[in-house]
Amino acid sequence: MSAFYLDIIKDRLYTTKKDSIQRRAAQTAMYKILSALVRILAPMTCYTAEEIWKSMPHKVGENTESVMLDYYPKANPNYDDEELEEKWDKYIKIKDEVSKKLEIARADKKLGLSLEAKVILYADGKEYDFIKGKEELLKEILIVSDVEIIKGNEEKQEGAIVGVKVEKAEGEKCERCWMYSKTVGEDKDNPKICARCSSNLK
Ligand SMILES: [Zn+2]
């Protein structure tokens, strides 16, 4: 979880509007995960689970005294969604393919943090249809400052979903979200932040 989900949601938790749907949704998902995980872990790590239970918020009807006195989580059939799973398996695979290229760029000292990168993704056919128009989502998943999607098979390794090219992101680093953007400086009241952060602060 920490290598994928928690890493990705950091941006929305730290930088989007306090009451934005993205931020509230991430908080809800984390709460549900915590609520289930603490019960599953309780028989193995009793003290830690009790400590978590005492400091986490609870719903009406839960036994606040001890995690041992509350119920074991039940699987929610609504969360079984093969289509969604398939879609995310694909995003995870794309992230793996991009990570390899980012790693090479880092080893070559072309960039440090992944946020210093702009990633160009080449795809064709149904793979192109899958990522077409998803630049914003992919920026979040890949934790990079810019994503460009081009139809084609350049840079594509055998068996890969996309071809990947890594460049240095254009613009200045935003002091608030650490993404690189050409919009940094546009807001005269907050000249060190990007347009996205500027609107999130209003
Ligand atoms: Zn920003």
Side-chain angles (χ1 to χ4, degrees):
M1 262 181 66
S2 60
F4 187 74
Y5 184 63
L6 297 182
D7 208 19
I8 288 171
I9 60 169
K10 259 182 217 159
D11 179 70
R12 54 177 63 192
L13 288 174
Y14 297 165
T15 77
T16 60
K17 264 199 172 107
K18 208 176 165 194
D19 58 354
S20 68
I21 289 180
Q22 300 104 298
R23 186 166 181 273
R24 299 294 291 145
Q27 286 177 321
T28 303
M30 283 213 295
Y31 179 77
K32 290 192 171 181
I33 292 165
L34 177 68
S35 177
L37 206 56
V38 67
R39 296 160 205 256
I40 294 167
L41 290 174
M44 294 165 270
T45 55
C46 330
Y47 293 108
T48 311
E50 288 292 18
E51 268 177 52
I52 296 168
W53 193 254
K54 288 215 158 58
S55 46
M56 68 183 274
H58 290 285
K59 284 191 203 150
V60 180
E62 283 182 349
N63 190 306
T64 53
E65 197 192 324
S66 167
V67 61
M68 305 297 173
L69 299 173
D70 214 282
Y71 292 99
Y72 202 72
K74 281 198 196 96
N76 183 342
N78 292 331
Y79 294 162
D80 267 329
D81 188 331
E82 261 179 55
E83 212 175 294
L84 195 70
E85 197 178 333
E86 219 172 274
K87 185 168 107 182
W88 278 91
D89 278 346
K90 233 166 163 180
Y91 282 130
I92 291 169
K93 195 158 178 260
I94 292 174
K95 188 172 166 74
D96 286 343
E97 290 167 10
V98 171
S99 295
K100 276 181 211 150
K101 284 288 175 90
L102 288 171
E103 206 47 65
I104 294 169
R106 213 171 283 139
D108 292 346
K109 305 261 184 284
K110 281 185 191 137
L111 46 97
L113 288 175
S114 65
L115 280 176
E116 288 169 30
K118 169 188 176 170
V119 166
I120 301 167
L121 300 176
Y122 298 93
D124 207 7
K126 63 179 191 333
E127 317 296 13
Y128 175 76
D129 293 337
F130 180 71
I131 58 170
K132 187 177 66 184
K134 306 263 169 52
E135 287 88 351
E136 289 304 312
L137 175 68
L138 283 160
K139 254 159 71 171
E140 273 195 78
I141 296 174
L142 304 173
I143 317 184
V144 296
S145 285
D146 203 4
V147 168
E148 190 182 341
I149 295 166
I150 296 175
K151 201 169 189 168
N153 282 312
E154 285 171 57
E155 308 279 340
K156 201 160 158 185
Q157 312 266 310
E158 211 180 311
I161 298 175
V162 290
V164 184
K165 202 166 142 191
V166 171
E167 287 179 359
K168 228 173 154 57
E170 288 176 77
E172 302 271 314
K173 181 182 180 179
C174 166
E175 210 172 54
R176 186 168 176 272
C177 70
W178 293 13
M179 277 191 162
Y180 284 73
S181 168
K182 285 191 266 188
T183 63
V184 173
E186 279 177 6
D187 181 346
K188 297 295 166 234
D189 298 329
N190 297 296
K192 291 184 171 167
I193 63 172
C194 69
R196 185 179 69 120
C197 283
S198 166
S199 84
N200 285 339
L201 286 173
K202 275 167 190 150

